[in-house]
Amino acid sequence: MSEEWKKLKDRLESGDMRPKPSDWDDMKGRIARHPSLLPVPLYKRGLFKGMVLIAGLLLLGGLAWWTLVPADEPEAPVSVQQESRAIIPNTPEPAGNENGLDAHRAINGSDEADLQETDAEDVANSESEEAVIANNDNTYSVSNNEKNGQETSGQLTASLSNSFNSARQQPTGDSYLNNNTAQRETETVSLKTELLNRNWHNLSNDLQPSLKLLESEEEASIIDPATGFKLNSVAMLATYGFHNTSGSYEFGLGVEVEFLNQNFFLQTGVHINAHLGEYNDSVPQMDFTEVPVQRVDSNWIIDGPFQGHYEIDTVISTHYDTTLTYRQITGVQRTNLRYLEIPVMAGYRWYSGRWSFDLSAGVISGLLTYNGMSDQGVEQNNGLRLDLALRPALLYRLNPSWSVIARPGLRYTILDQTPTAWNRSSKATPLLQVGLSCNW
Amino acid sequence: MQKDLEKILKKCLKNDQRAQYDLYQLCFERLMLTCVKFQRNREDAVALLNEGFLKVLLNLHKYDFKRDFFPWISTIMVRTAIDHYRKSKDYKETIDLQVDVYTYSGHCDAVSQNEVIEKMEQDEVDNLLHSLPENEKMVFNLFEMEGYSHKEVADLLNISLRSSKRYLQSAKARLRERLEKKTEIKKVV
C-alpha cells in the first residue's frame, strides 16, 4: 500500500468498532437458523452414549452375576441359622437347682422364674438335700397350678415333678446324693434338649411361610443351571390386538414352547392370527366411447371470372371421436387376512412366590396364508410380515404344573409385504395375550 | 491467548453457544475493520460481519490449527463482502459497459493530502470512500486496503486485469480530486 492511502485506512479503522448486544442478538438468530450449529442434544453426545453403554454393561454384568449365584447357597437358610443360633444353649453346665430354674424360667417367663429364684435362695440355706428337693417339688407344683392353661409348662413341670419324686424315693446317704446329682444333671440336659426341640418347633412354625416360599422357589428352578436351556413349558395362548389408526383388529390362537435356563428363557411357537377390519376404498373405472367421424375434402371450382362453387366429393379419412368417462366408486372394503406367525423371543423372568414377571423381546415373522380381500391380487397371498415385539408378561402358578399367563405386548412392523401395508400409517400394534401354561 | 483461542475454537466445533459468543466478541473488532471499508452504515457493516462470521462457524472444521486464525477469518470476511457485492449489484454489466476512465489532472501532494485526511471528521472520511462508484470502491479496497494484487482482484471480481487497473486509477483520481477540493475549502476557511 502506498503511503498516501495509509492515512485514509487508519482513519477508516479508527472508528468505534466495539460490538453491541444487539449485534450478537442478530448473530444468534442467524445461528439458530442453521441446525448444524445448534448445540448437540444430550442423548446424541458421545459422553452420554458412553455412559449409557457403561451403565448397560454394568446392569448386564450385575444381572448375570446375580443369576449365576449357585442355587445351593440361598440366602434364606442363612437367616434361619442365625435365628437358631440365638436359642442354642452353651455346653451344659453341672446341674444344680439353678439349671432347673433356668429351664423353668425359659418356659414360664421371668416373673415366675423370679418367684422360684427367691424360693431357691431360701432352699440354699437349708442343709438338707431332701428339703431342697421337696422345696423344688413344691415350686414346680405351684407353677403347675398357676399355668394350668399352658400345656408346655404343665408337661414340663409334670416331668420334673415325676423325676424329682422318683429321686426322693432313693435311699439316703452319699451314694444317694451322688446318684441324685448325676440323675438331675442328665434330666436337666434332656429337659434342655426337649425345650430346644420345642422352641425349634415353634420357630419352624413361625418360619413356615418362608420355608414354603423357599421350597416353592426350589420347585420352580427345576432346571439344572449347568445343563443350559431345557424345555420347561408349553403354553396355549389366545391373542387379541387392535390397530388404532386403521381400525382393524386381530385375534388368534397359538402354542408356544419355552426353554428355560435359570431365569433366562427362550420362547417360540406357532400362532394362527386373523386380521379383520374395514376401510374405505375407491375403485376407478374408465369407459371409452368412440364415434366414427368422416372427413371429406372440398374443392372450390372456378366457373367463371366471378363465379364458382364448392365440389364436395372425396372422402379423405374416417377416424373416431373418443370420449373418455372416468368414474370412481367409493365403498367399504373388508379386510380378512390370516397369518401363520412364528415368534422367537428371549427374555428374563423374576419370581415372587406364585407370581412371576417376564420381560421378553424378539422377532415375530408372519406369512400370509389366506387373503379374503376381494380386490387384491393372488400374488400377494404369500406376503411376508416381520415385526419386532416387546412382551412383558405376568404368570400366576396355580399349582406346580399349571400357570396362567397374561401378556400385554407391543409389536412394531419393520417389513410388510401384505395388502394392508398401505393402510398402516402407524406401525406399532398393541397386543394382549392370555393363556395357560403347562410346566414340568 | 492462542491457547484460549484454541479452547474456544474447539468448543465452537462442538456447537457450544457460550464459545460461539466468546469467539464473536473476540473477532468482532478485527472483522469490523474489514466490513467498514465495504459498507457505509454501521448496521450494514454488522450485517455483513454476521454473514461472514456465520461462514466462519460453518467452515470452522476446515481451519488448520497450525495457521494463524485471524488472517483466515479476514480472508473469509473479504470473500463474503465480495459475494455480497455480487448479489447486491449487477456488477458484471456495470463493469463491462463502463469503458471510460475518470481522470484528474490537478495536483495534490501527499503531505497536504494527509493533513486534510487527518483533519477530517469520521463521517467525512467514511463518505469520502463510500462516495466512490461501487466497482471502483471494491478494487480500491481490495488493492490498497487489503493488499491484494491486481491479478487476485481481477480473479476475485471476475474482471480483466486491465479493468482492475483502470478502476483503481479512477478511484484514486476521484479521491484525489475530492481531497483537493477539501484542501481548497480548508484554505478558504
Side-chain angles (χ1 to χ4, degrees):
Chain A
M1 190 196 324
S2 61
E3 282 296 320
E4 54 183 321
W5 304 114
K6 192 172 181 305
K7 193 73 186 171
L8 181 65
K9 186 187 175 189
D10 291 342
R11 283 304 311 270
L12 280 168
E13 293 176 353
S14 63
D16 185 14
M17 303 287 171
R18 285 172 299 179
K20 293 177 181 174
S22 58
D23 300 338
W24 172 246
D25 290 340
D26 177 47
M27 188 67 236
K28 208 161 60 173
R30 287 170 189 260
I31 290 172
R33 286 193 288 275
H34 280 267
S36 61
L37 292 175
L38 292 176
V40 183
L42 182 68
Y43 65 90
K44 283 187 179 175
R45 290 182 189 175
L47 183 66
F48 179 79
K49 287 177 183 174
M51 285 177 69
V52 167
L53 188 67
I54 290 167
L57 287 173
L58 284 173
L59 190 68
L60 279 176
L63 209 61
W65 177 81
W66 183 58
T67 52
L68 292 176
V69 171
D72 54 354
E73 293 178 10
E75 291 181 7
V78 173
S79 64
V80 170
Q81 283 173 5
Q82 287 172 349
E83 195 69 32
S84 60
R85 213 177 284 141
I87 60 167
I88 289 174
N90 294 327
T91 309
E93 294 173 1
N97 289 333
E98 289 179 3
N99 286 333
L101 286 173
D102 287 341
H104 199 78
R105 185 185 295 160
I107 296 165
N108 291 334
S110 60
D111 293 339
E112 197 171 340
D114 288 343
L115 174 66
Q116 291 157 11
E117 196 170 358
T118 311
D119 291 338
E121 283 173 4
D122 294 336
V123 168
N125 296 327
S126 171
E127 292 179 2
S128 168
E129 186 66 26
E130 189 175 353
V132 172
I133 295 167
N135 201 350
N136 271 337
D137 193 6
N138 290 334
T139 306
Y140 288 119
S141 297
V142 167
S143 68
N144 193 13
N145 292 332
E146 288 175 355
K147 291 282 181 180
N148 281 331
Q150 295 186 8
E151 185 189 355
T152 308
S153 64
Q155 287 175 354
L156 283 172
T157 310
S159 67
L160 269 176
S161 180
N162 289 336
S163 66
F164 287 143
N165 285 334
S166 64
R168 201 192 300 176
Q169 291 168 5
Q170 296 295 326
T172 57
D174 291 339
S175 62
Y176 162 70
L177 285 175
N178 291 335
N179 288 337
N180 192 23
T181 307
Q183 193 175 357
R184 282 170 59 193
E185 278 182 16
T186 310
E187 284 179 355
T188 309
V189 170
S190 65
L191 187 65
K192 281 188 172 180
T193 309
E194 190 181 354
L195 185 66
L196 192 63
N197 288 334
R198 286 173 183 276
N199 281 337
W200 172 252
H201 180 69
N202 292 334
L203 184 68
S204 300
N205 286 336
D206 293 335
L207 292 174
Q208 208 163 7
S210 303
L211 290 170
K212 281 184 180 173
L213 182 64
L214 286 170
E215 286 169 5
S216 68
E217 284 183 2
E218 284 173 3
E219 278 178 19
S221 57
I222 57 172
I223 304 301
D224 183 5
T227 56
F229 286 95
K230 272 193 167 182
L231 185 62
N232 176 56
S233 66
V234 174
M236 290 151 286
L237 295 154
T239 307
Y240 175 77
F242 182 71
H243 203 267
N244 194 26
T245 51
S246 65
S248 62
Y249 57 94
E250 61 183 52
F251 63 88
L253 289 171
V255 178
E256 287 188 9
V257 290
E258 180 184 272
F259 299 88
L260 185 74
N261 181 7
Q262 290 187 346
N263 292 40
F264 291 97
F265 62 83
L266 298 172
Q267 292 170 337
T268 186
V270 177
H271 287 260
I272 302 289
N273 281 357
H275 293 235
L276 303 174
E278 290 180 352
Y279 64 93
N280 291 322
D281 192 18
S282 57
V283 180
Q285 283 190 351
M286 294 176 82
D287 292 332
F288 294 90
T289 310
E290 290 183 337
V291 178
V293 177
Q294 287 185 342
R295 280 185 63 193
V296 293
D297 196 12
S298 60
N299 290 319
W300 177 255
I301 305 296
I302 301 169
D303 297 328
F306 299 104
Q307 58 183 345
H309 68 275
Y310 278 110
E311 189 178 61
I312 304 170
D313 55 358
T314 310
V315 176
I316 297 175
S317 63
T318 302
H319 61 100
Y320 295 94
D321 188 9
T322 305
T323 306
L324 183 68
T325 310
Y326 178 80
R327 288 187 298 167
Q328 193 161 8
I329 302 165
T330 305
V332 176
Q333 299 289 333
R334 294 183 193 283
T335 315
N336 185 3
L337 305 167
R338 288 176 203 162
Y339 290 88
L340 179 72
E341 293 185 341
I342 299 172
V344 179
M345 311 293 291
Y348 187 84
R349 177 167 296 160
W350 289 268
Y351 294 100
S352 174
R354 286 175 175 269
W355 293 93
S356 307
F357 178 73
D358 288 358
L359 185 63
S360 60
V363 179
I364 300 174
S365 51
L367 187 70
L368 185 68
T369 55
Y370 173 74
N371 181 2
M373 296 172 73
S374 56
D375 60 340
Q376 298 295 331
V378 181
E379 67 277 4
Q380 289 175 311
N381 272 354
N382 293 324
L384 190 68
R385 186 179 161 189
L386 207 60
D387 290 2
L388 294 178
L390 184 70
R391 295 197 316 200
L394 198 63
L395 288 88
Y396 181 75
R397 194 158 54 83
L398 300 169
N399 57 45
S401 298
W402 294 93
S403 300
V404 181
I405 307 171
R407 273 189 201 145
L410 188 74
R411 55 195 285 175
Y412 185 83
T413 307
I414 53 172
L415 175 71
D416 196 349
Q417 298 174 340
T418 60
T420 55
W422 59 272
N423 200 23
R424 293 172 182 273
S425 57
S426 169
K427 294 180 176 177
T429 310
L431 284 176
L432 177 65
Q433 288 183 330
V434 288
L436 205 60
S437 167
C438 179
N439 312 306
W440 59 84
Chain B
M1 176 68 183
Q2 189 64 26
K3 286 192 175 180
D4 290 344
L5 180 66
E6 274 190 25
K7 274 185 186 177
I8 291 171
L9 292 177
K10 281 174 183 171
K11 283 183 179 177
C12 283
L13 284 170
K14 295 174 184 174
N15 293 346
D16 186 336
Q17 278 194 326
R18 178 70 200 179
Q20 287 170 349
Y21 173 76
D22 291 342
L23 187 66
Y24 185 76
Q25 297 292 323
L26 202 64
C27 301
F28 189 90
E29 288 188 29
R30 287 177 186 256
L31 294 178
M32 200 65 177
L33 293 178
T34 306
C35 292
V36 291
K37 291 166 200 160
F38 291 95
Q39 296 293 332
R40 183 190 294 265
N41 302 321
R42 188 186 184 279
E43 289 76 18
D44 293 339
V46 170
L48 182 65
L49 184 147
N50 287 347
E51 201 179 322
F53 188 75
L54 190 68
K55 284 186 182 177
V56 170
L57 290 179
L58 289 169
N59 293 287
L60 202 58
H61 60 280
K62 295 178 186 170
Y63 169 65
D64 181 6
F65 278 79
K66 292 171 188 169
R67 293 172 60 192
D68 202 356
F69 180 68
F70 291 107
W72 183 70
I73 60 169
S74 294
T75 307
I76 289 179
M77 197 68 250
V78 169
R79 287 174 188 272
T80 307
I82 292 168
D83 289 344
H84 189 262
Y85 163 71
R86 282 175 180 168
K87 281 180 200 169
S88 60
K89 285 279 182 183
D90 194 3
Y91 70 99
K92 193 170 182 180
E93 187 182 349
T94 313
I95 287 167
D96 288 345
L97 292 177
Q98 190 174 343
V99 290
D100 57 326
V101 180
Y102 185 84
T103 53
Y104 173 61
S105 54
H107 175 71
C108 181
D109 61 347
V111 179
S112 58
Q113 187 177 306
N114 286 346
E115 284 177 2
V116 173
I117 292 171
E118 187 68 37
K119 289 174 183 173
M120 282 166 71
E121 298 292 326
Q122 187 65 41
D123 289 345
E124 287 178 316
V125 177
D126 291 342
N127 287 333
L128 183 69
L129 182 68
H130 292 296
S131 62
L132 290 174
E134 202 66 22
N135 44 14
E136 290 179 12
K137 185 177 78 177
M138 287 299 292
V139 174
F140 181 79
N141 276 335
L142 292 174
F143 187 86
E144 288 291 344
M145 304 287 178
E146 300 299 330
Y148 287 87
S149 66
H150 275 299
K151 176 77 171 63
E152 289 167 329
V153 172
D155 289 342
L156 285 170
L157 295 179
N158 200 16
I159 57 174
S160 65
L161 194 65
R162 189 165 165 268
S163 295
S164 174
K165 287 178 181 175
R166 197 171 64 229
Y167 288 134
L168 182 66
Q169 189 185 343
S170 291
K172 284 181 178 178
R174 287 181 206 276
L175 288 172
R176 282 197 188 102
E177 184 190 9
R178 284 161 198 175
L179 286 171
E180 180 71 20
K181 283 179 183 174
K182 294 267 181 192
T183 311
E184 286 173 3
I185 291 169
K186 295 276 179 189
K187 281 178 183 174
V188 170
V189 172

